[in-house]
Amino acid sequence: MTRVRPLLAGLLALAGASCGHESTSPDSATALVQRYQAAWETHQLSSYVYDFKTIGFTTALDGQTFHLLVVADTVRSAVNLATGESFPQPSLFPSVDQLYDQALAGARTGDLSDIQVDTQLSYPLLLVYKGFPDASGSIVCSNLQPVP
């Protein structure tokens, strides 16, 4: 798996060095996420599988990895990789399009602090959000494969 550490981290470091704290303009972060989203859209994938995990959020599912099946841009199946059990409401998990929508919203408000994307299929590998303790955390995605 190939990863790319995006310019957002560099922008944050540069801004921190120049003004004493980490910040970046929502406009530049939004533009970066939009570029990644546009690259994802060029692949025109509407059916695929991928692994999804949250870290640091205060939910009952935090720290658990789920294998998601997305068909026609809708999550149809979510299986806990540790237990093999199906989650009864797979639609509560995001498709990649929904992840990008959330990332754009976070970029606009300044809550998205980092994003890493796969260099081949352009899906988010890591999304890091900052906020109140119950609203801070990371989303980790991996193993995306197209489904015919």
Side-chain angles (χ1 to χ4, degrees):
M1 173 175 19
T2 307
R3 294 181 184 204
V4 97
R5 175 77 87 191
L7 296 176
L8 184 57
L11 290 171
L12 289 171
L14 181 61
S18 64
C19 63
H21 66 282
E22 290 193 354
S23 66
T24 187
S25 79
D27 291 339
S28 61
T30 299
L32 181 65
V33 173
Q34 287 172 328
R35 282 195 301 275
Y36 288 145
Q37 184 176 32
W40 159 253
E41 290 171 351
T42 65
H43 298 287
Q44 299 180 342
L45 295 176
S46 62
S47 297
Y48 49 90
V49 294
Y50 78 103
D51 296 337
F52 174 90
K53 177 180 180 178
T54 62
I55 301 169
F57 296 104
T58 55
T59 69
L61 303 178
D62 195 54
Q64 300 176 56
T65 302
F66 288 84
H67 187 71
L68 307 182
L69 169 65
V70 179
V71 177
D73 295 317
T74 302
V75 179
R76 305 287 183 182
S77 169
V79 176
N80 185 314
L81 287 180
T83 66
E85 294 179 16
S86 292
F87 188 77
Q89 295 175 293
S91 62
L92 295 178
F93 290 92
S95 67
V96 171
D97 290 330
Q98 291 168 324
L99 286 172
Y100 271 119
D101 291 344
Q102 293 169 4
L104 278 172
R108 287 182 180 121
T109 62
D111 291 332
L112 180 70
S113 62
D114 196 11
I115 180 172
Q116 295 179 23
V117 301
D118 179 82
T119 57
Q120 293 178 326
L121 293 175
S122 307
Y123 68 95
L125 295 170
L126 177 68
L127 298 164
V128 180
Y129 293 92
K130 59 184 177 182
F132 296 108
D134 62 343
S136 295
S138 302
I139 296 172
V140 180
C141 303
S142 60
N143 303 318
L144 189 139
Q145 299 292 321
V147 173

